[in-house]
Amino acid sequence: EKCVPEITEALRKERISVVYGSQKNFSLRAGKLFLNVYVGQPNALFLSEEPISREQIKNFKLIEGTYVKSVNLPVKDRAVEVETVRLNLSGKVQVYYLILELTGKNANVLLLDENRKIIALLKPFRSSVRPLEVGESYLYPPLDKKEFSEINFGVVTPEGIEKNLHKVVAGLSPLNS
């Protein structure tokens, strides 16, 4: 939540020139900076001057040459959406969405088309809760948590609350809890 305004300011209107990745990390260059994601780490989204990966990744090449239109946090629970656009030779605007799910061990990077269908996934993922396969419509991770202001606390003891607070409060990771 705190990173999105900084990333927006740094990358908005910048051209994505290269995308790197593996099943453990992802980097894309927009302008002079790299947007990096350590997949599997809940708080590992950052900007840098160097990529964390230099492995070519074929299934994300579609967004090379696009421009960053916006960076959003559509749901509060650690899913960042980067909207990119490209103007084709025919004059048609092509839209892609890059979804950075920073949800711990199930973290992933997904590429969606303008109809929000999954084009590519950084790492394969099976879920009984929602389909995450190429060609499927994308659904955000289920948000069954409450806003912090909606939480009513009963008797709070010093031991144990930090271990469970992230399970009921939206946007709170175990580390921050």
Side-chain angles (χ1 to χ4, degrees), residues 103-121:
T103 54
K105 69 177 184 172
N106 294 326
N108 210 339
V109 178
L110 301 97
L111 181 61
L112 313 179
D113 65 13
E114 56 198 12
N115 299 317
R116 303 191 70 77
K117 298 256 188 216
I118 299 171
I119 300 172
L121 295 123

Side-chain angles (χ1 to χ4, degrees), residues 11-17 28-31 62-71 82-88 93-98:
L11 302 185
R12 191 166 175 271
K13 298 183 180 179
E14 295 290 346
R15 183 175 178 270
I16 297 174
S17 56
L28 71 78
R29 183 179 191 138
L62 283 171
I63 60 170
E64 289 182 0
T66 63
Y67 289 85
V68 176
K69 180 178 178 185
S70 65
V71 181
V82 180
E83 183 179 3
T84 67
V85 295
R86 171 189 298 134
L87 187 61
N88 285 344
V93 176
Q94 207 168 14
V95 178
Y96 294 102
Y97 299 95
L98 186 68

